[in-house]
């Protein structure tokens, strides 16, 4: 606890990268149409309105699209395109068969980081923002989507225009490597086993199809077949503002160059896991972080998360939070705070689980923009008391006696008798152990006796 881990210096973006405020201005300009339609839907339809969607996938209904077209002075096609972009950028969030304004839309005018995250989400989904032509083979498309991070990294390192012929040669080499890897080293994207090249971490979600494709005898990539796929990929990336494409060459935009640098930096963070927990399961990683200072623990969470698909990582963290160790429960939700918006559906799904409910409500409150110091106000008295007992259990199991005594001072109840009454009422499974530990730790004999009596009453059902 007293050892201060070595800090990795904060990385600096490449020379010539615009300041964050300027990058955010570019992202706002690129997403202006999507933000406009999302704001219109928020005001005209209301969050989750039945009129907003028609197909169970939060696609804007024909009637709503026509209404938006009239109100905004756009064509229906423009409205639908901007709506799809808003969904991909997280300005609109899909929940079941309805849509609602995303947290990024709420923070659009005041939070540059929220805007940049929204654009990066669109950048990650470039193959969905500009779907491939129907005549392309799905397996070939998936291979190219898996290989494009290598191409983007080369563009970023080149820091200028690159001829398409050079990119086509690089793409062919990478596709051939992927085919060979599938034969020699199976990679399970579901469970994180196997070995993958670091640049695979840059893939968009639908690239996982290529990992599952079977190839008995990998054949070298045919550049004639890849050329139209590269052309589609570059047009798609240009459509989201990641690069410019024309006259037989491609160049990353400042936004695109910055985003690729961020992705590569995330891989470096994963490769330099401060405490060496990158390869272990969530529960073991959280135990390893228990002895770290908060900043060092967050760095470890980021490294662990950067090394695996977000969906699987969130599932692991939630499962770890369901365990019996209250300390891991609190740490799991701290790690989920590092995940941010992608974890919201999973956190919202556990709100009705009594063990996780207080943690989930606090996470959601902070996610919605409530100050962390005020977030506890979303809890009922019973939920706050349950959380107090759960936290006390973590202190009793892993902390020292003075910490448990100080924890007593954080209770909402004004007096110890009132606290004991409410603690008995919430029915936390660790109530007896917490009260016994508190009685043993407290220096006041009279108070310790009252706490022991309360523990005995809970134990006997009184």
């Amino acid at each position: 606890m007293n050892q201060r881990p070595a800090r990795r210096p904060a990385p600096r973006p490449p020379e010539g990268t615009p300041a964050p405020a300027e990058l955010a201005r570019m992202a706002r300009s690129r997403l202006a149409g999507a933000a406009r339609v999302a704001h219109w839907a928020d005001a005209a339809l209301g969050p989750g309105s039945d009129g907003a969607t028609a197909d169970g996938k939060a696609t804007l209904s024909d009637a709503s699209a026509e209404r938006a077209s009239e109100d905004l002075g756009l064509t229906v096609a423009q409205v639908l395109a901007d709506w799809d972009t808003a969904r991909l950028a997280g300005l609109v969030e899909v929940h079941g068969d309805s849509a609602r304004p995303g947290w990024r839309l709420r923070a659009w005018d005041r939070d540059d980081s929220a805007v940049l995250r929204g654009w990066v989400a669109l950048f990650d989904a470039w193959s969905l923002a500009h779907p491939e032509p129907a005549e392309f083979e799905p397996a070939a498309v998936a291979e190219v989507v898996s290989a494009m991070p290598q191409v983007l990294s080369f563009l970023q390192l080149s820091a200028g225009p690159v001829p398409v012929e050079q990119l086509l040669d690089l793409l062919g080499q990478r596709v051939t490597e992927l085919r060979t890897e599938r034969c020699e080293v199976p990679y399970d994207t579901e469970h994180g086993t196997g070995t993958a090249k670091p640049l695979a971490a840059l893939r968009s979600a639908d690239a996982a199809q290529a990992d599952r494709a079977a190839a008995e005898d990998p054949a070298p990539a045919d550049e004639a077949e890849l050329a139209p796929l590269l052309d589609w990929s570059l047009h798609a990336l240009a459509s989201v503002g990641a690069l410019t494409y024309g006259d037989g060459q491609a160049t990353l935009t400042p936004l695109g160059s910055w985003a690729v640098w961020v992705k590569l930096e995330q891989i470096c963070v994963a490769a330099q896991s401060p405490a060496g927990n990158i390869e272990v399961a969530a529960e073991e990683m959280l135990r390893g972080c228990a002895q770290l200072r908060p900043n060092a623990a967050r760095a470890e969470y980021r490294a662990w998360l950067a090394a695996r698909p977000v969906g699987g990582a969130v599932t692991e963290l939630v499962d770890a939070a369901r365990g019996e160790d209250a300390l891991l429960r609190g740490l799991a939700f701290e790690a989920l705070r590092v995940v941010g918006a992608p974890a919201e559906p999973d956190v919202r799904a556990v709100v009705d689980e009594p063990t996780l409910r207080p943690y989930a409500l606090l996470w959601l409150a902070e996610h919605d923009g409530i100050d962390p110091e005020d977030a506890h106000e979303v809890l009922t008295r019973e939920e706050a008391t349950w959380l107090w007992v759960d936290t006390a259990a973590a202190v009793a199991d892993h902390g020292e006696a003075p910490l448990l005594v100080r924890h007593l001072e954080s209770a909402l109840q004004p007096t110890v008798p009132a606290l004991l009454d409410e603690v008995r009422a919430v029915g936390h499974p660790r109530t007896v152990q917490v009260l016994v530990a508190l009685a043993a730790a407290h220096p006041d004999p009279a108070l310790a006796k009252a706490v022991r009596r309360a523990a005995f009453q809970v134990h006997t059902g009184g």
Side-chain angles (χ1 to χ4, degrees):
M1 289 291 287
N2 295 323
Q3 294 180 351
R4 188 181 297 275
R7 291 186 177 180
R8 181 173 179 259
R12 293 181 177 275
E15 186 176 352
T17 302
E22 177 62 15
L23 289 169
R25 186 195 64 78
M26 297 175 185
R28 281 191 179 93
S29 176
R30 172 62 60 174
L31 293 171
R36 188 182 181 194
V37 169
H39 279 302
W40 174 88
D42 184 20
L45 303 176
S49 169
D50 292 338
T53 63
D55 64 353
K57 299 178 182 178
T59 300
L60 205 62
S61 67
D62 292 340
S64 295
E66 290 177 4
R67 202 172 138 198
S69 172
E70 294 173 0
D71 291 350
L72 299 176
L74 303 171
T75 66
V76 171
Q78 287 175 317
V79 169
L80 293 176
D82 286 339
W83 176 262
D84 287 341
T85 299
R87 290 169 56 196
L88 293 174
L91 301 178
V92 171
E93 294 178 355
V94 178
H95 295 270
D97 60 354
S98 65
R100 71 176 193 182
W103 68 274
R104 288 173 186 149
L105 186 66
R106 299 295 190 211
W108 193 249
D109 295 323
R110 57 179 169 80
D111 189 341
D112 287 348
S113 66
V115 175
L116 290 173
R117 287 184 183 185
W119 185 83
V120 170
L122 178 65
F123 167 68
D124 287 340
W126 62 266
S127 60
L128 301 177
H130 189 84
E132 72 278 6
E135 64 267 21
F136 288 174
E137 287 290 333
V141 171
E143 285 181 333
V144 169
V145 171
S146 290
M148 281 307 291
Q150 191 98 9
V151 175
L152 290 168
S153 298
F154 182 74
L155 280 167
Q156 201 271 340
L157 292 172
S158 299
V162 178
V164 172
E165 292 80 2
Q166 196 170 356
L167 297 178
L168 184 59
D169 179 65
L170 177 62
L171 179 64
Q173 293 178 37
R174 182 62 182 137
V175 168
T176 300
E177 289 175 359
L178 289 171
R179 291 175 180 175
T180 303
E181 288 171 2
R182 284 203 305 274
C183 289
E184 296 179 357
V185 187
Y187 184 80
D188 185 343
T189 58
E190 296 285 338
H191 301 92
T193 59
T195 304
K197 293 204 168 191
L199 286 171
L202 285 169
R203 298 175 308 163
S204 59
D206 57 345
Q209 298 172 17
D211 292 324
R212 300 188 184 95
E216 296 266 331
D217 299 308
D222 185 344
E223 288 191 356
E225 294 178 1
L226 290 179
L229 287 163
L230 176 61
D231 182 69
W232 159 71
S233 300
L234 294 176
H235 273 111
L237 286 159
S239 74
V240 301
L243 53 78
T244 57
Y245 176 40
D247 298 327
Q249 59 187 18
T251 309
L252 286 179
T253 63
L255 267 176
S257 179
W258 168 79
V260 174
W261 172 79
V262 168
K263 299 289 183 182
L264 291 170
E265 182 59 30
Q266 288 174 347
I267 296 170
C268 293
V269 169
Q272 300 181 28
S273 169
N277 292 304
I278 184 174
E279 299 292 343
V280 301
E283 183 172 336
E284 188 176 347
M285 181 273 293
L286 294 172
R287 291 190 189 282
C289 292
Q291 301 302 316
L292 300 178
R293 293 174 180 271
N295 286 340
R298 281 190 288 273
E300 192 71 4
Y301 301 150
R302 283 192 292 270
W304 186 85
L305 290 164
R308 47 192 38 82
V310 174
V314 171
T315 300
E316 275 197 64
L317 290 170
V318 172
D319 287 343
R322 291 192 176 103
E324 295 183 0
D325 194 326
L327 177 63
L328 296 192
R329 190 155 31 252
L331 293 177
F333 276 86
E334 286 300 317
L336 289 170
R337 286 178 172 85
V338 174
V339 176
E344 184 191 3
D346 294 81
V347 174
R348 200 170 291 280
V350 302
V351 165
D352 292 330
E353 296 184 28
T355 303
L356 304 183
R357 180 175 175 80
Y359 294 94
L361 290 176
L362 290 176
W363 190 99
L364 291 168
E366 294 175 25
H367 177 65
D368 288 339
I370 297 177
D371 190 296
E373 294 185 2
D374 300 326
H376 67 276
E377 295 176 3
V378 303
L379 303 179
T380 65
R381 183 75 164 232
E382 292 76 14
E383 291 163 351
T385 302
W386 195 100
L387 182 61
W388 184 90
V389 178
D390 205 52
T391 308
V395 175
D397 290 342
H398 301 279
E400 299 177 353
L403 290 177
L404 192 58
V405 174
R406 286 202 295 273
H407 184 61
L408 181 63
E409 300 170 0
S410 69
L412 294 175
Q413 292 76 8
T415 65
V416 171
L419 170 65
L420 295 177
D421 287 343
E422 295 188 31
V423 164
R424 285 198 296 259
V426 297
H428 192 289
R430 295 291 305 280
T431 299
V432 172
Q433 293 93 325
V434 165
L435 293 178
V436 168
L438 182 58
H442 207 284
D444 185 334
L447 189 146
K449 181 177 180 180
V451 173
R452 277 195 300 272
R453 184 184 303 114
F456 180 76
Q457 290 172 344
V458 174
H459 177 65
T460 58

